[in-house]
Amino acid sequence: MDLGLRGKVAVVTGGSSGIGLATARRLLGEGMAVAICGRDPVRLEQARASLSSHGDVLAQQCDILDKANVLALCHAVTVWRGACDLLVNNAGQGRVSTFADTTDEAWHEELTLKFFSQINTIRAFEAMLRASGQGAIVAVNSLLAYQPEPHMVCTSAARAGVQNLLKSLAGELAPVIRVNSVVVGLIESGQWDRRFAAREDKSNDRDTWFSDLARKKNIPLARLGLPEEVANAIAFLGSPVASYTTGSQIEISGGLSRHI
Ligand code: NDP
């Protein structure tokens, strides 16, 4: 199916790893020019090099919590292509903590990360998204927004708030910009690779560790998801093919959710 993205411009935050990197690759495959950002310059350059054979890529170091950085990213995209048709707010990470072991400082950090990773970039790119005529925002969020886990209390609450914010934005930015999200379960990416590397029992190899994890979590499709499987949904929601879809979400969790 032609998604109608050819010749358009996407910005993917956190495009240097995992879901963001797979999304950048997917969108390049659709014929888009893609700007990616991340904080670590080495990882960013590796990503740029791996993507450059797929199409036109701009890679810019940027902490999305730093407003000046985000404005510089926006300026770079303006100089590079003078347009942004799709903003993928993907950058971030989860926080493992119960209510008892989350300090006030950690709450502030987590709420800032989850909210301002949306707010800073949407403020910066809104004008170009409006000018696009087919502007779209797709946020990468977690199933925790709907289904909190006891060991991720702070992240779960923040993610629920973000879904609420996105719903408001879908109304406020309509009819010019569509706003949707993907809510993901467990996806094989940098986050889970770091948890695998930090595992206490080193006897299991990566495949065994991941399949044990899927079993422990009772994932009906019996495995973790792949970043490419999330990228497919992001490409769809961000494309003119989804032109009558806003304020909605696609769940990509292998059937992990318990709500209807
Ligand atoms: P990865 O760790 O593989 O990728 C995260 C990306 O975000 C990296 O490119 C990282 O680069 C970037 N990033 C993180 N913080 C910032 C920041 N402040 N400014 C700019 N870039 C940043 O993880 P995933 O691909 O899994 O994560 C993608 C999104 O999906 C995240 O928001 C994550 O929370 C969410 N998610 C993932 C789940 C999963 O199971 N994988 C589950 C639920 C949600 P750098 O560190 O160099 O800045």
Side-chain angles (χ1 to χ4, degrees):
M1 185 197 299
D2 178 5
L3 295 181
L5 291 169
R6 187 159 298 283
K8 295 181 185 293
V9 180
V11 173
V12 181
T13 68
S16 59
S17 174
I19 295 168
L21 180 59
T23 300
R25 201 181 302 115
R26 180 72 167 81
L27 297 175
L28 287 167
E30 292 293 330
M32 296 190 92
V34 180
I36 60 169
C37 76
R39 295 163 301 179
D40 182 302
V42 174
R43 190 162 36 211
L44 189 64
E45 172 50 26
Q46 281 168 352
R48 190 204 59 74
S50 80
L51 291 170
S52 59
S53 59
H54 297 263
D56 195 5
V57 182
L58 173 77
Q60 168 129 341
Q61 194 179 355
C62 167
D63 180 342
I64 34 99
L65 297 184
D66 181 321
K67 276 189 192 178
N69 273 200
V70 175
L71 289 177
L73 172 66
C74 185
H75 178 69
V77 172
T78 306
V79 171
W80 178 55
R81 283 293 182 134
C84 174
D85 305 286
L86 169 59
L87 171 64
V88 181
N89 278 333
N90 160 78
Q93 61 191 27
R95 178 182 292 272
V96 177
S97 67
T98 62
F99 181 73
D101 61 25
T102 309
T103 61
D104 285 359
E105 191 187 24
W107 273 102
H108 281 291
E109 264 177 27
E110 187 63 5
L111 293 168
T112 300
L113 172 62
K114 294 300 180 291
F115 282 98
F116 283 89
S117 59
Q118 304 295 329
I119 294 166
N120 286 346
T121 52
I122 291 173
R123 282 205 203 288
F125 286 97
E126 182 181 343
M128 279 199 278
L129 290 166
R130 283 189 183 280
S132 157
Q134 290 184 317
I137 297 166
V138 181
V140 177
N141 205 351
S142 167
L143 184 58
L144 293 170
Y146 298 95
Q147 194 162 289
E149 292 282 350
H151 65 290
M152 297 187 87
V153 167
C154 179
T155 279
S156 300
R159 290 196 179 284
V162 167
Q163 281 308 95
N164 190 293
L165 167 67
L166 295 170
K167 194 71 174 175
S168 294
L169 284 171
E172 191 167 327
L173 300 182
V176 187
I177 303 171
R178 295 181 302 104
V179 183
N180 293 290
S181 62
V182 289
V183 290
V184 304
L186 281 70
I187 307 297
E188 283 189 33
S189 69
Q191 293 200 52
W192 285 105
D193 281 335
R194 287 191 290 278
R195 287 176 203 172
F196 167 68
R199 71 200 184 285
E200 276 175 18
D201 176 3
K202 304 275 189 210
S203 62
N204 280 343
D205 62 18
R206 190 177 183 282
D207 285 351
T208 312
W209 191 83
F210 274 87
S211 53
D212 280 355
L213 180 61
R215 198 170 319 111
K216 273 186 223 144
K217 297 280 182 185
N218 289 318
I219 299 174
L221 292 185
R223 63 176 176 84
L224 270 64
L226 301 175
E228 292 73 19
E229 293 173 311
V230 184
N232 288 338
I234 293 172
F236 167 71
L237 286 172
S239 78
V241 170
S243 52
Y244 200 53
T245 301
T246 196
S248 81
Q249 59 279 328
I250 295 181
E251 181 193 315
I252 302 150
S253 73
L256 186 57
S257 69
R258 292 186 296 272
H259 60 271
I260 295 173

